[in-house]
Amino acid sequence: MFVVRPVETSDIPALESLATAATHGVHTLPRTRKATERAVERSLASFAAQPDLPADESYFFVLESGADKSIAGTAALAATAGASGAFFAFRNDVLQQVSRDLDISHNVHALTLCSDLSGHSQLSGFYLRDRSRPEPQADLLSRARLLFAAAAPHRFSEKFFASMSGIIDASLRSPFWEALGRKFFQMGFLEAERMIEGARNRTLIVELMPHYPVYVPLLPADAQAAMGQVHAEGELPFRILSNEGFEPDEYIDIFDGGPILRAHRNALRSFSASLRRRVAGAAAADAPRGMFLVATAREEKFRVTAVECASPELSESVHLPEAARRVLDVHDGDAVLCVKL
């Protein structure tokens, strides 16, 4: 049985090992010891805080194997993407060009640097160690952070987004970056990613990126083709988030052109379909069963696991097996959130 829980200081060596094993196309993990320590310390402070409104809190979760207590994955959720500076993205715009003398009118696709997403809560940091058999661990890991948001909605915005990794080729070259970002940063894609540590709220972005609309037809064909496309490493989280209720819309990543998924919390299953239930004793033998994500309703010592149990949809209580009670650290009468897997 796997469980998702907040990161702890003792997890730092395991997180370093995950980062070492990750491919170069993955930018979701901190790459250095110092960056890992900063992420853990910030998460510990965020969980300990009691905010009235979402601010600069950042929550870091790990997927722990019940068999050997090893760390099998990570995921993160920031209260507001732009709390420490505006979050920058490219917005897809349509500009109308009109010449009355020539009687010509047509629309041109353009990209505009913007900070529209700064007030949204941001999902990030998704990484799964073993992708050969991802189910249901991947769903558990990705959706656990949204169940935390459902358990503590005052900590987060009403709007959420996730930026997906864009296309890079076998030589770790990003067609979109080569056509646009390199012209302004004067460095390769991976070097730029390492320099800003994956952030999209650094001042140097607005200092270096173009402030005027970029006309898409002027970009090379391979850069245009990469816009809104997902890297192979991002296909799994893209599918999970799409099933959760996220949708790509008018924004793309400013570095690799990957899609940005957005949703209002009311459209997300973890909010709209989760049921608050009390843990109770054994269910009737003939009760219908199913696979559910079950999360503690408390903010402190938050836990989520996937469990087969009698459907809580037909009762005011949920009947959990002993193993699930143990990993969640819950007892009869404790409140939990349940959502169908």
Side-chain angles (χ1 to χ4, degrees):
M1 179 170 283
F2 287 82
V3 63
V4 174
R5 59 168 176 79
V7 71
E8 300 171 355
T9 304
S10 58
D11 297 323
I12 290 176
L15 295 175
E16 284 189 287
S17 297
L18 285 183
T20 300
T23 66
H24 287 289
V26 175
H27 306 291
T28 56
L29 291 170
R31 288 288 184 175
T32 66
R33 174 83 179 199
K34 283 190 174 181
T36 301
E37 290 174 345
R38 284 198 303 269
V40 172
E41 290 169 1
R42 186 179 178 190
S43 180
L44 293 173
S46 297
F47 277 103
Q50 297 296 325
D52 294 323
L53 294 171
D56 63 348
E57 298 83 26
S58 181
Y59 306 91
F60 196 168
F61 301 87
V62 295
L63 175 69
E64 181 183 88
S65 169
D68 57 6
K69 303 297 182 183
S70 64
I71 303 302
T74 68
L77 179 58
T80 54
S84 56
F87 181 94
F88 295 104
F90 275 134
R91 184 181 62 235
N92 284 295
D93 289 330
V94 176
L95 304 182
Q96 189 175 46
Q97 307 281 20
V98 178
S99 172
R100 290 184 175 83
D101 291 341
L102 298 177
D103 194 23
I104 294 176
S105 174
H106 62 90
N107 295 327
V108 178
H109 181 187
L111 300 175
T112 304
L113 187 69
C114 71
S115 57
D116 300 354
L117 303 175
S118 297
H120 292 42
S121 293
Q122 181 188 10
L123 285 77
S124 63
F126 179 88
Y127 179 73
L128 193 66
R129 181 181 62 195
D130 182 8
R131 299 201 175 202
S132 60
R133 298 178 60 187
E135 312 297 346
Q137 288 80 25
D139 283 88
L140 167 62
L141 176 61
S142 180
R143 298 177 65 192
R145 52 196 165 169
L146 290 171
L147 283 170
F148 178 70
H154 60 283
R155 290 178 176 263
F156 300 95
S157 168
E158 293 185 351
K159 297 178 181 179
F160 293 79
F161 80 90
S163 184
M164 300 286 100
S165 298
I167 296 296
I168 60 173
D169 60 23
S171 61
L172 306 180
R173 172 185 170 275
S174 163
F176 186 79
W177 175 261
E178 292 298 317
L180 189 55
R182 178 185 279 276
K183 304 294 192 300
F184 298 92
F185 276 69
Q186 299 296 306
M187 64 181 68
F189 172 68
L190 292 181
E191 185 182 358
E193 279 284 13
R194 283 193 293 268
M195 181 181 67
I196 68 166
E197 296 182 337
R200 297 293 185 268
N201 59 358
R202 297 284 295 275
T203 303
L204 61 86
I205 290 176
V206 74
E207 290 175 342
L208 296 177
M209 279 293 188
H211 294 185
Y212 298 98
V214 175
Y215 286 77
V216 173
L218 298 180
L219 297 177
D222 61 347
Q224 294 186 47
M227 289 171 51
Q229 300 303 304
V230 183
H231 186 276
E233 293 281 355
E235 291 176 358
L236 177 61
F238 182 91
R239 184 170 68 250
I240 293 170
L241 293 177
S242 296
N243 291 337
E244 174 72 27
F246 283 87
E247 295 181 346
D249 57 10
E250 69 262 41
Y251 301 96
I252 63 171
D253 185 77
I254 58 175
F255 274 32
D256 57 24
I260 293 177
L261 309 183
R262 288 203 303 159
H264 191 282
R265 68 184 181 190
N266 293 341
L268 299 175
R269 291 175 57 205
S270 294
F271 282 87
S272 62
S274 60
L275 305 170
R276 190 181 180 93
R277 296 291 184 260
R278 296 284 177 180
V279 177
D286 60 348
R289 301 177 67 82
M291 285 295 296
F292 291 84
L293 297 180
V294 180
T296 57
R298 61 181 185 255
E299 295 179 34
E300 71 283 356
K301 296 183 179 179
F302 181 75
R303 300 286 188 276
V304 189
T305 193
V307 59
E308 182 182 6
C309 62
S311 175
E313 298 165 331
L314 307 176
S315 171
E316 291 301 312
S317 57
V318 60
H319 309 279
L320 301 178
E322 183 57 35
R325 289 168 173 252
R326 190 164 53 249
V327 299
L328 293 174
D329 189 20
V330 294
H331 309 279
D332 284 358
D334 288 345
V336 292
L337 295 178
C338 309
V339 64
K340 197 169 183 64
L341 190 58

